[in-house]
């Protein structure tokens, strides 16, 4: 890279590394003579690598003056390893006294420049377009919910939305915007700039992070600048950072994890020092953050876990370490990389639940006990109701775990009966239908009756119901008892039919006794309580449990959900709980349900007010379980969805936004040159690895041991990261979009940059080749910049393109750029 | 072989590899050659063979009705005897062998094999079963020999044989007309050859070296030609070969030329030879099945034209399409379906609720369409007018009289395409029924030829092209293939050809259909098989299972195997940590340990290769898919037992050691025998009521709730 020399000599404010470059000509001979493989070390970059090797490895034992001054100059990290060198040098020259008060600053100009330009590209006209773009609809809605402190349910963990909500809070957003459809204009009350600020900020910081990570991987600053530059001019990363989306947080935290991990390894010669602990804790914390933004972070956990396992394995092989040392190493990592992230993750969920603690539209997805902890909503209805169910209680029974088309359901009956014959010619009992109904209704009310008595009111004191007691359930409006018998159920013929019994005077006797079984009777005490107790109702005659099959009844059942009884008792579909609850008064025992006057305040003392609410861990467990099981259900194909196989070559983008009248549009797609070169980088790495491995096997060593270690580490961390953040998507059955590839893309860019250096240093042997290669790289980088410029209209959506211009940008037939017919 | 730590650098590993080779030699000399142990071992071996044949052939003709999948494979055997073409998701070898066995033993291919439970009556089915059971029986002696080869330990070899001999699942599976016994035999053969090959690796390029390598090559090819599961044994042999070559490469005393010769030899024996065998199987398959049969509809029109009895064989129908012709349209791609419609609507919520259009791989009257002018319905008096390239036409479904129609609603599955429906009454619809015919490579206004023209139907209003692919519709669409209108008109799945052509006004002519080459047929049948494999979904109420249940399922032997597997993993871990921490065993123990553990590691690898991939398979899985993995697991158990004895021998007093040796072996065999005794009624056919009943002999055998006995 010839241009390097000129630039460096002219610029006195170069970073520490340019200083290092300065002394390299002097350094060069020595390095070449001390290193074992004398190769043609006549290049700038290469010699800087050699210096680094001398600083950090024990090869530099024959301490040279230049070398030692050099290593002091470096200040951080490297010099700490060889303190004796410093002292030797100091003795000879005599100490230079430090000033009383001084601040030594180093400004890494490329790094600063990259950061500033990144900020500029990400934040330029941040408020444009002033309408809802793509998934802003979701995340904006969640931010409003936080502002209004309303509970909501989402499949992603809370951190990303919390950060966005913080931005909204800074911008004094009142939360009064409905986020109904993509493309809707924002009113002036919505602080668009503040909402989009944090995604843009984190997206900008991704650039210096990439730079620093490349440096920490052991590559030179040219490579780091290249990597940073490619992230900087990557259209997809720009687009994804400029809107109310959470991917830029995810990318930031993934890369920050990597950086902390590398910093941590840099300190492996001084284990258990404060900074060692700090970087280890930092790794854990960043990991937790990545996982708390999106579950893609779990792949990062796998990557870090694998690397740490590998490191521990090497430590085991180090015979200088005692078993005690090994245990400390293991415990330190377990504590800060497993326990700490889990705690942080829980903490964020706690924050989420504390902030969003009012009743909202998603309440009913949660169990009754969860809902009771939210302000307003269900708790307002239930708070003054009696707790313990007694004979004579009027109740609504909610199916605890089922969620059908996003709604819960309650045990229900109505006056219609089952049809005598189904369309497949099976017969039914023709008794009254029992269903599970997804809406609150007067027909959801049931009375708990003591089979030994005929009365329906609650005694004073109430006769409470315990685990194992036998009850009858009488339907409130029709006064018929819940019944089951050995007749095949309408839709699932392998289960039994459940009815409200009508006596037709035929050979079907009433079988209406049910045993109450508390699901976790040990925890909840012995009595059946409303809301807290999860129960099963086991039919006494047939020992089958009341269950919702999850299937819909046909027209005659008004498309409500089928209720059956199933001999397999131990399953989630058989669990119920009481939601609303009243005690029936003596004289009004036959009028039930709707009337506020029917329950008798005097007969009970314990109301829901005194009952302990569901604790944080219980709520967390329920929410987490719901999030994981809902994630699986997003399976529908979308117009712009794509399959993972299409990602590396970017065969499809996603249309984010289109101007209402013109062809100005925002289309999520990357810088094609970077994406396509990235594939070459990956193939190049693998091919080169194969060649090197075979040659080393035959005892041909192309690079020194340290470079080889670095090459391997790059493979494990960066290529491994790419694989881990990409391949699992092939196994996912949910709808996928191109932006799911972004974490893998960042790894791909890193690998591409370091491959450029590896080819330059380890493959090309002749200076001429290297110069040509450098020149080619310069051309290529320029092309990357111009490609970025070319696709900028699609990234920023600011220019009104003509149909021809749009067609011109359509480099691949499969890109769905939009052209409006005007 | 001693595969040391990688980071030690090449020289050390090379040394270790050398050590491994000398070790093999040492084992031959020190551990006692087969000749020395001679009679003893051969005696046991003979007993194993006798017992195997005894248990396997006992009550072979029972039950005398079709059992389970016999209905498929028996039927396919019959097809080979009758020479009629059929389609199956597995490669042909297994069924061909069954057919051959049936043919040789006098079965005439006339029995319909309709459904499980049908009585055989006079049909000569025993021959086919004997063939399968003979191949299934080889598994036991081969396991004995393999483990003997790997450990030179009689108890271990006997244990491996006993585990397979007395496993009732393995016994049952070999007794019927199924592909599995054939497959298991070939897998085991490959493992045996590979272990023999390892033993002679110190004498490269000797006769036996070539023989065993070619043997391994043949067996992997045969296994793969029976079922695609054979891929895993290919992987196993492949990995072993790669590791072998890697060791050779690290041996710096060998010149590159020798290594290249090694490499070349393996390429020939393990890649070229198997590929040749595999392709030969297909050649025989195509050659044998020359008559039209049940599988025609799965294949392209060109393929069908090679089948005797098919309408397209020496095609005899009008060649040029005219208005008013009744035609069927075949999607021009491997495994493409015929354009189809039926009296069912798209369900609510998925586009317009109009009549479904699908692609169907079976021949059926609902595949018939009439081609009409775009502007009016045909009248009988019309003169014959040919359809030309670029014409606007409408297609009317014959059975329901609705027109092929599309509009700007997303298709049911592929949302980025448009929905295609059947629309209109009695052939009258709207402007969205108009399609433009485009012949690929056809001149302007040229006529459209039956079979030979590749046609695109471009929708006149939206500009999208009629499209079909391998995605199947859910239950509401009868699991037929989705048909959409694709805005990307140059997609290669947008091409169709006319397969049947009926027009009474035109004279029938004979014309030559371009016949596909052998390679074309081979590739096409593979594409069809791949699609068929992914389309296998569980029907309701069928006995399917999840991979994680398999090792848990059934019988003592399986639980024993599972325990030994866990034990093996633990031992591997402990040994790895010991090596990493630099512990060194005394030389004799270290060498024995090294070879035993290496054998165990490869067996564990075999198990993993035959088991773990099932977790990633979308298709329906049955319990019998576990049996190949179980072979490896049994041998692993035996080898781990040998390892246990080895460690005991070196760590305890001789007296105690001998006692443990004797009592341990006796104990294990008693347990295995007892479990066989308990479960043997299962394999020799059931009698009495179901297991729920207390009087049944099965009562108490239902150890896990999920077993269906």
């Amino acid at each position: 890279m010839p241009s390097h020399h000129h630039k460096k000599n002219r610029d006195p404010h170069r970073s520490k590394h340019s200083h290092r470059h300065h002394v390299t000509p002097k350094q060069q001979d020595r390095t070449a003579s001390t290193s074992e493989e004398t190769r043609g070390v006549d290049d700038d970059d290469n010699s800087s690598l050699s210096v680094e090797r001398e600083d950090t490895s024990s090869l530099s034992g024959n301490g040279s003056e230049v070398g030692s001054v050099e290593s002091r100059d470096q200040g951080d990290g490297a010099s700490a390893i060889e303190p004796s060198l410093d002292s030797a040098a100091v003795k000879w020259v005599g100490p230079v006294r430090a000033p009383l008060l001084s601040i030594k600053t180093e400004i890494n100009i490329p790094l600063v420049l990259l950061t500033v330009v990144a900020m500029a590209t990400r934040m330029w006209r941040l408020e444009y377009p002033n309408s809802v773009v793509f998934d802003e609809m979701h995340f904006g809605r969640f931010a409003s919910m936080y502002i209004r402190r309303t509970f909501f349910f989402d499949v992603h963990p809370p951190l990303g939305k919390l950060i966005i909500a913080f931005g909204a809070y800074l911008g004094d957003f009142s939360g009064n915007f409905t986020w109904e459809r993509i493309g809707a204009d924002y009113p002036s009350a919505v602080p668009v700039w503040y909402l989009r600020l944090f995604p843009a900020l984190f997206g900008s910081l991704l650039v210096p992070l990439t730079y620093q990570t490349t440096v920490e991987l052991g590559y030179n600053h040219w490579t780091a600048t290249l990597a940073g530059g490619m992230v900087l001019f990557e259209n997809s990363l720009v687009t994804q950072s400029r809107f109310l989306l959470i991917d830029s947080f995810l990318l930031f935290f993934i890369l920050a994890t990597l950086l902390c991990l590398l910093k941590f390894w840099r300190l492996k010669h001084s284990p258990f020092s404060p900074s060692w602990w700090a970087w280890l804790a930092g790794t854990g914390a960043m990991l937790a953050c990545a996982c708390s933004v999106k579950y893609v972070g779990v792949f990062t956990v796998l990557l870090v876990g694998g690397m740490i396992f590998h490191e521990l394995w090497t430590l085991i092989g180090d015979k200088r370490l005692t078993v005690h040392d090994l245990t400390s190493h293991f415990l330190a990592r377990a504590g800060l990389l497993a326990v700490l992230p889990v705690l942080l993750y829980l903490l964020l969920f706690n924050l989420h639940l504390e902030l969003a603690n009012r009743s909202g539209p998603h309440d009913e997805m949660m169990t009754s006990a969860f809902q009771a902890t939210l302000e307003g909503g269900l708790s307002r209805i239930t708070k003054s109701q009696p707790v313990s169910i007694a004979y004579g209680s009027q109740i609504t029974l909610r199916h605890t775990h089922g969620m059908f088309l996003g709604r819960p359901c309650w045990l229900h009956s109505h006056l219609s009966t089952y049809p005598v014959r189904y369309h497949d010619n099976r017969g039914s009992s023709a008794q009254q239908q029992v269903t599970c109904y997804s809406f609150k209704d007067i027909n959801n009310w049931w009375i708990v009756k003591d089979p030994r008595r005929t009365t329906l009111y609650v005694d004073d004191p109430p006769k409470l119901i315990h685990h194992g007691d036998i009850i009858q359930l009488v339907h409130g409006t029709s006064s018929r008892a819940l019944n089951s018998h050995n007749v095949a159920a309408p839709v699932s013929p392998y289960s039994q039919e459940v009815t409200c019994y009508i006596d037709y005077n035929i050979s079907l006797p009433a079988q209406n006794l049910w045993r109450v079984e508390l699901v976790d009777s040990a925890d909840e005490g012995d009595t059946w309580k409303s809301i807290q107790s999860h129960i099963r109702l086991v039919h006494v005659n047939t020992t089958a449990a009341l269950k919702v099959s999850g299937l819909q009844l046909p027209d005659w059942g008004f498309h409500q959900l089928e209720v059956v009884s199933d001999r397999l008792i131990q399953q989630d579909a058989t669990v119920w709980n009481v939601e609303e609850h009243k005690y029936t008064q003596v004289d009004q025992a036959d009028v039930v349900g709707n009337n506020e006057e029917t329950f008798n305040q005097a007969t009970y003392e314990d109301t829901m007010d005194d009952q302990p609410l569901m604790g944080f861990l219980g709520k967390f467990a329920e929410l987490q379980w719901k999030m994981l099981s809902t994630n699986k259900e997003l399976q529908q194909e979308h117009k712009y969805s794509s399959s993972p196989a299409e990602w590396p070559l970017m065969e499809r983008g996603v249309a984010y936004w289109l101007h209402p009248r013109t062809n100005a549009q925002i289309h999520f797609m990357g810088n094609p040159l970077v994406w396509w070169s990235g594939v070459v980088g990956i193939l190049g790495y693998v091919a080169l690895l194969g060649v090197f491995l075979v040659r080393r096997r035959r005892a041909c060593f192309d690079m020194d041991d340290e470079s080889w270690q670095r090459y391997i580490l790059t493979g494990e961390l960066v290529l491994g990261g790419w694989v881990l953040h990409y391949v699992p998507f092939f196994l996912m059955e949910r709808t996928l979009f191109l932006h799911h590839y972004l974490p893998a893309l960042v790894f791909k860019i890193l690998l591409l940059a370091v491959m450029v250096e590896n080819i330059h240093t380890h493959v090309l042997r002749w200076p001429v080749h290297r110069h040509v290669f450098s020149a080619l790289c310069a051309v290529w980088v320029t092309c990357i910049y111009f490609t970025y410029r070319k696709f900028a209209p699609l990234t920023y959506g600011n220019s009104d393109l003509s149909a021809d211009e749009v067609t011109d940008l359509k480099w691949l037939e499969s890109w769905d750029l939009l052209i409006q017919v005007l | 072989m001693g595969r040391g730590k990688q980071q030690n650098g090449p020289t050390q590993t090379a040394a270790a590899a050398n050590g491994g080779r000398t070790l093999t030699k040492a084992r031959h000399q020190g551990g006692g050659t087969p000749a020395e142990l001679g009679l003893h071992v051969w005696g046991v071996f003979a007993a194993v063979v006798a017992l195997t044949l005894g248990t396997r052939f006992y009550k072979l003709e029972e039950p005398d009705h079709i059992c389970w999948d016999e209905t498929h494979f028996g039927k396919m055997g019959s097809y080979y005897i009758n020479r009629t073409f059929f389609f199956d998701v597995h490669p042909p070898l297994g069924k061909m062998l069954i057919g051959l066995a049936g043919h040789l033993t006098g079965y005439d291919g006339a029995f319909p094999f309709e459904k499980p439970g049908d009585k055989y009556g006079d049909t000569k089915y025993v021959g086919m079963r004997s063939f399968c059971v003979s191949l299934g029986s080889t598994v036991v002696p081969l396991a004995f020999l393999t483990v003997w080869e790997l450990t030179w330990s009689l108890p271990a070899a006997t244990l491996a044989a006993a585990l397979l001999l007395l496993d009732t699942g393995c016994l049952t599976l070999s007794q019927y007309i199924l592909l599995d016994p054939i497959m298991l035999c070939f897998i085991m053969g490959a493992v045996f050859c590979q272990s023999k090959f390892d033993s002679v690796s110190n004498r490269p390029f000797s006769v036996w070296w070539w023989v065993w390598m070619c043997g391994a090559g043949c067996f992997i090819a045969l296994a793969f030609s029976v079922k695609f599961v054979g891929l895993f044994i290919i992987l196993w042999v492949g990995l072993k070969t790669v590791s072998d070559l890697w060791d050779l490469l690290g041996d710096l005393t060998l010149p590159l030329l020798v290594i290249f010769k090694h490499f070349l030899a393996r390429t020939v024996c393990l890649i070229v030879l198997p590929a040749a065998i595999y392709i030969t199987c297909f050649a025989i398959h195509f050659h044998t099945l020359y008559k039209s049969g049940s599988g025609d509809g799965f294949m392209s029109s060109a393929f069908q034209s090679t089948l005797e009895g098919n309408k397209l064989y020496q095609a005899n129908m009008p060649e040029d399409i005219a208005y008013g012709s009744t035609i069927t349209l075949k999607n021009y791609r491997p495994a493409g379906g015929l354009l189809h419609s039926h009296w069912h609507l798209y369900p609510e919520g998925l586009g317009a609720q109009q009549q479904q259009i699908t692609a169907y791989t079976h021949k059926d009257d609902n595949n018939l369409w009439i081609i009409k002018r775009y502007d009016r319905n045909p009248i009988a008096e019309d003169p014959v007018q040919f359809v030309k390239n670029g014409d606007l036409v409408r297609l009317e479904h014959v059975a329901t009289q609705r027109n092929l129609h599309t509009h700007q609603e997303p298709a049911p599955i592929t949302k980025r395409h448009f929905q295609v429906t059947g629309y209109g009454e009695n052939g009258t619809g709207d402007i969205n029924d108009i399609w433009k015919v485009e012949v690929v490579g056809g001149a302007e206004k040229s006529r459209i030829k039956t079979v030979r023209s590749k046609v695109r139907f471009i929708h006149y209003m939206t500009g999208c092209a009629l499209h079909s692919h391998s995605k199947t519709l859910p239950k509401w669409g009868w699991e037929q293939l989705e048909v959409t209108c694709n805005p990307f008109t140059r997609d290669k799945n947008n091409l169709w050809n006319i397969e049947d052509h009926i027009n009474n006004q035109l004279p029938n002519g004979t014309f030559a259909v371009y016949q596909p080459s052998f390679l074309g047929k081979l590739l096409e049948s593979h594409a069809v098989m791949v699609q068929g494999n992914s389309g296998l979904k569980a029907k309701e109420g069928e006995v399917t299972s999840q991979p994680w249940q398999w090792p848990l399922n059934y019988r003592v032997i399986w639980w024993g195997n599972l325990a030994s597997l866990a034990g093996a993993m633990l031992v591997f871990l402990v040994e790895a940590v010991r090596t990493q921490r630099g512990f060194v065993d005394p030389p004799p123990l270290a060498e024995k340990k090294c070879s035993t553990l290496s054998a165990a590691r490869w067996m564990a690898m075999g198990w993993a290769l035959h088991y773990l991939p099932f977790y990633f398979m979308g298709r329906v899985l049955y319990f019998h898919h576990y049996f190949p993995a179980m072979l490896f697991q049994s041998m692993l158990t035996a080898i781990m037992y040998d390892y246990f004895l080895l460690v005991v021998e070196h760590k305890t007093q001789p007296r105690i050691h001998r006692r443990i040796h004797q009592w341990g072996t006796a104990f294990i065999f008693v347990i295995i025998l007892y479990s066989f005794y308990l479960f043997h009624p299962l394999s020799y056919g059931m009698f009495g009521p179901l297991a729920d009943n207390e009087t049944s002999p099965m009562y108490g055998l239902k150890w896990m709730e999920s077993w269906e006995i």
Side-chain angles (χ1 to χ4, degrees), chain B residues 1 24 28 149-150 190-216 237 240-241 244-245 248 262 265-266 269-270:
Chain B
M1 293 289 233
T24 326
H28 268 287
E149 197 63 42
L150 290 172
V191 176
F192 174 66
C193 289
Q194 185 64 40
S195 62
K196 273 295 204 189
F197 173 75
D198 284 347
S199 305
V200 295
S201 64
N202 53 338
R203 284 178 284 137
F205 306 109
S206 63
V207 177
W208 284 109
W209 188 86
W210 284 107
V211 166
W212 293 124
M213 185 152 68
C214 289
V237 171
K240 219 163 161 16
T241 308
D244 242 18
L245 283 173
L248 288 173
H262 272 284
R266 281 163 176 86
C269 294
L270 298 176

Side-chain angles (χ1 to χ4, degrees), chain A residues 313-319 321 326 636-637 639 641-642 652 693-694 696-699 701 731 813, chain B residues 10 13 246-252 254 256 259 413-416 471 488 490 576-577 580-582 616:
Chain A
W313 188 246
T314 331
L315 286 179
I316 287 178
D318 187 349
K319 283 173 211 152
L321 295 177
L326 286 178
Q636 243 199 356
E637 193 168 311
K639 184 154 189 251
S641 63
S642 47
R652 283 184 75 75
L693 276 176
V694 169
R696 288 176 74 85
R697 191 77 181 151
R698 294 304 290 179
F701 299 99
L731 304 175
E813 182 76 31
Chain B
T13 325
W246 189 247
D247 285 342
L248 288 173
L249 190 68
D251 183 352
L252 295 178
L254 291 179
L256 271 178
I259 292 172
I413 295 178
T414 318
K415 301 283 184 201
R416 64 180 85 136
K471 288 182 191 165
F488 175 48
R490 278 188 284 151
V577 171
Q580 186 77 353
R581 287 299 282 174
F616 302 103

